[in-house]
Amino acid sequence: MKWQKFFEIRTYFPKGIMARTLTLIILPLLLSQILTGYIFYKRHWKNISNQSAAVFAANVLTIMDLKEDDKTPEEFSELQKLVKKNYSMDINFFEGEKIQDKKKTKRLSLLSLRYVKKFLNNNIKYPYTISASEETNLLQVKIQYPNGVLEINSSLKSIFSKTIYIFLFWVIGSVIIFIVITIPFAKSQIDSIKKLTYALECAGRGEEIKDYNPTGPIQVKEAGKAFLKTYNRIQRYLKSRTNMLSGISHDLKTPLTRMKLELEFCDDKNLQFALLNDIEDMEKMINSYLDYAKGNIPEASQKTNITALIKNTARKLNKGNYDIKINAKKNFFATVRPSSFERAIANIITNAIRYSKKKILIDIKQTDDNIAIFIEDNGKGIPENRRDEMLKPFTRLENSRNTSTGGVGLGLAIVQEIIHQHGGEIFLLDGKKLGGLLVKIEIPLK
């Protein structure tokens, strides 16, 4: 249900392995750094700032008590020396002046001023302003007396600990350093998985695997080695089967050739004609079986214009007697073995031409990550309950549509074999536009 996905972590988790790896590594690090920062702020920096603010506020209040009585210039000068000596502060009194607009305090020192204000607000009866400048390291308090302004200047270090900057630099810097180190390492591990995935895709398409050497973590390396062993065993089996079939083909064709020669001396022309037809049928069956069993002739895959390939194939097969209409909004490209794929398309179009009523419609579209090819005719079609069976080798029905390879029931089976080798699928459906058979082919768009 949709509301359940809202509470599932995987809904918000990255999909790619690289992003997931970095998330699993960096997220705990960030959380731990944030937690450490919070503890540092609550247990250390906040307490130190609070204590420093209390001391500074107490010094300001003491200076105000000493200044409470009117003092002569000589007495105020002595007070300045005393404050400088005991509190490391500079004080000035500007008689007859009023406090101007205070400067805005920025950055982290504003937090420290908050603690100072908390103490001063409860003890100072006169209006005052307080400001700080990290650039000049100046902390300034101005107090409005009835006859003037008392200015108290101190070092910002008296209330503000710059260890917070060091800590923030460490928190942020360590995360950045960790990311810089982690990304190349994670990428190298993921590259080994990508190489294995590519090798698997090549094997699935029946292509030769070149220059694949298992690398990466031991688990990925072992998986790669196991895959290569399996792939090599399959290749040896296919080669052995092909050689065996080639031998069988030679052995069977030799006696058939002798039988043809012997029939040339047969006086019974009717018998001769019948036996020659049987021999030709046997040769077709042998050739069709070999064609199916051997699969496709080894051919390199390449990026191919599927739209142009289908148009050229249809033009070659159409002798001008059929209405073949092709709908494609643009040229679609996919990585295929051109000759093999053209053979599959030609097989389907040939069947459509043979069993249609001179009208064929071909649509080429993109669906998600696939190229979808729809070949529809206005013929009789294939019953729905027999369609899966018609894709199997050596399956024939009366007036069936899979007899384009010589009438032994291998036409659609060969097509399916080729499409599967390209990582695609084939479906036999009811035609909605022309009412006959609709053959749908899907191959990956890449």
Side-chain angles (χ1 to χ4, degrees):
M1 297 177 68
K2 292 184 178 180
W3 63 269
Q4 289 178 327
K5 291 185 178 180
F6 181 80
F7 296 100
E8 292 180 356
I9 296 178
R10 63 181 179 181
T11 304
Y12 311 98
F13 218 60
K15 304 302 181 184
I17 188 170
M18 181 69 170
R20 285 191 173 188
T21 301
L22 292 178
T23 300
L24 290 173
I25 294 175
I26 295 173
L27 186 60
L29 176 65
L30 285 175
L31 292 176
S32 65
Q33 295 288 51
I34 291 172
L35 180 61
T36 303
Y38 177 76
I39 295 173
F40 173 82
Y41 170 75
K42 293 291 288 186
R43 297 295 181 185
H44 175 71
W45 192 78
K46 184 178 179 181
N47 290 340
I48 291 177
S49 297
N50 209 344
Q51 293 173 8
S52 300
V55 172
F56 177 80
N59 293 340
V60 171
L61 294 175
T62 301
I63 293 170
M64 290 181 65
D65 289 340
L66 295 174
K67 173 64 183 66
E68 196 63 38
D69 298 330
D70 291 335
K71 295 184 179 295
T72 63
E74 291 78 10
E75 292 174 331
F76 187 78
S77 178
E78 291 296 324
L79 178 60
Q80 286 179 315
K81 293 178 182 179
L82 180 64
V83 170
K84 181 70 174 178
K85 178 181 178 181
N86 294 337
Y87 303 136
S88 299
M89 294 180 178
D90 295 321
I91 63 172
N92 295 292
F93 187 78
F94 302 98
E95 192 169 351
E97 292 190 8
K98 292 186 177 180
I99 297 176
Q100 303 296 323
D101 293 336
K102 65 178 181 177
K103 296 179 180 179
K104 292 184 178 180
T105 300
K106 302 178 181 179
R107 302 183 184 176
L108 293 172
S109 56
L110 183 62
L111 294 173
S112 300
L113 293 185
R114 186 178 63 182
Y115 303 125
V116 177
K117 289 180 180 179
K118 182 174 68 174
F119 290 104
L120 296 181
N121 288 339
N122 297 328
N123 296 282
I124 296 181
K125 60 183 179 179
Y126 298 116
Y128 78 94
T129 62
I130 182 170
S131 62
S133 172
E134 294 181 34
E135 287 79 7
T136 60
N137 192 35
L138 178 64
L139 175 62
Q140 187 177 75
V141 179
K142 291 184 179 181
I143 304 168
Q144 183 68 63
Y145 281 82
N147 59 337
V149 175
L150 175 63
E151 181 183 86
I152 303 174
N153 295 317
S154 179
S155 171
L156 183 59
K157 293 181 180 179
S158 60
I159 66 165
F160 178 62
S161 174
K162 289 193 175 183
T163 55
I164 185 68
Y165 283 143
I166 299 174
F167 180 76
L168 287 177
F169 176 78
W170 164 250
V171 170
I172 298 173
S174 61
V175 172
I176 293 175
I177 293 172
F178 192 81
I179 292 174
V180 170
I181 295 174
T182 302
I183 289 179
F185 176 77
K187 186 177 182 299
S188 66
Q189 306 305 304
I190 294 168
D191 284 344
S192 62
I193 299 177
K194 288 182 177 179
K195 291 178 181 177
L196 176 58
T197 303
Y198 178 74
L200 289 168
E201 289 178 349
C202 290
R205 294 194 297 263
E207 299 176 10
E208 183 181 358
I209 299 176
K210 298 180 180 179
D211 301 328
Y212 172 65
N213 184 29
T215 58
I218 186 170
Q219 292 83 358
V220 178
K221 190 179 293 185
E222 291 298 324
K225 291 179 179 178
F227 159 70
L228 285 179
K229 289 180 181 177
T230 304
Y231 174 77
N232 290 330
R233 281 197 295 267
I234 293 174
Q235 292 301 310
R236 286 195 298 269
Y237 165 74
L238 292 175
K239 186 176 181 180
S240 174
R241 187 189 68 169
T242 302
N243 292 336
M244 181 186 68
L245 292 173
S246 297
I248 292 174
S249 172
H250 180 269
D251 292 341
L252 289 176
K253 286 182 178 180
T254 300
L256 288 176
T257 303
R258 287 201 302 267
M259 291 171 65
K260 279 185 177 181
L261 292 174
E262 291 174 359
L263 283 173
E264 294 294 331
F265 301 98
C266 180
D267 296 330
D268 190 339
K269 298 299 180 183
N270 292 330
L271 177 62
Q272 182 188 47
F273 180 76
L275 290 176
L276 283 174
N277 284 338
D278 288 340
I279 292 172
E280 288 179 359
D281 289 341
M282 292 174 65
E283 287 180 335
K284 289 180 180 180
M285 292 176 65
I286 292 171
N287 292 332
S288 297
Y289 176 70
L290 288 172
D291 198 17
Y292 172 75
K294 289 180 181 179
N296 300 303
I297 299 173
E299 180 186 6
S301 296
Q302 61 187 44
K303 194 171 185 180
T304 305
N305 187 333
I306 300 299
T307 305
L309 183 147
I310 293 175
K311 288 181 178 179
N312 291 334
T313 304
R315 185 170 60 252
K316 292 177 185 177
L317 297 174
N318 187 15
K319 304 303 181 180
N321 299 323
Y322 289 83
D323 178 15
I324 302 179
K325 185 177 181 181
I326 300 177
N327 296 324
K329 293 183 178 180
K330 64 177 184 177
N331 289 324
F332 294 96
F333 290 84
T335 302
V336 298
R337 287 176 283 180
S339 298
S340 175
F341 190 76
E342 182 179 2
R343 176 185 170 202
I345 296 298
N347 202 327
I348 297 173
I349 295 178
T350 299
N351 277 347
I353 288 175
R354 181 175 298 174
Y355 296 104
S356 71
K357 299 176 182 178
K358 296 188 177 183
K359 194 167 187 179
I360 300 170
L361 177 62
I362 301 175
D363 289 316
I364 309 172
K365 302 177 182 178
Q366 179 177 344
T367 59
D368 298 328
D369 295 329
N370 295 322
I371 296 177
I373 303 166
F374 303 86
I375 303 176
E376 182 179 355
D377 60 58
N378 60 349
K380 184 178 179 181
I382 298 175
E384 184 176 357
N385 62 342
R386 305 302 301 272
R387 289 172 188 167
D388 291 340
E389 184 180 357
M390 297 303 294
L391 293 171
K392 297 177 181 179
F394 303 106
T395 301
R396 296 187 61 191
L397 297 175
E398 290 299 324
N399 298 320
S400 67
R401 305 172 57 104
N402 68 334
T403 59
S404 64
T405 60
V408 295
L410 286 172
L412 291 176
I414 291 176
V415 172
Q416 181 175 244
E417 180 78 10
I418 294 173
I419 299 303
H420 284 176
Q421 288 177 358
H422 285 85
E425 291 292 340
I426 181 172
F427 307 92
L428 304 181
L429 308 168
D430 288 323
K432 302 296 183 183
K433 297 178 180 178
L434 301 182
L437 179 69
L438 172 63
V439 179
K440 178 183 177 183
I441 294 175
E442 288 186 346
I443 57 172
L445 179 66
K446 56 184 178 178

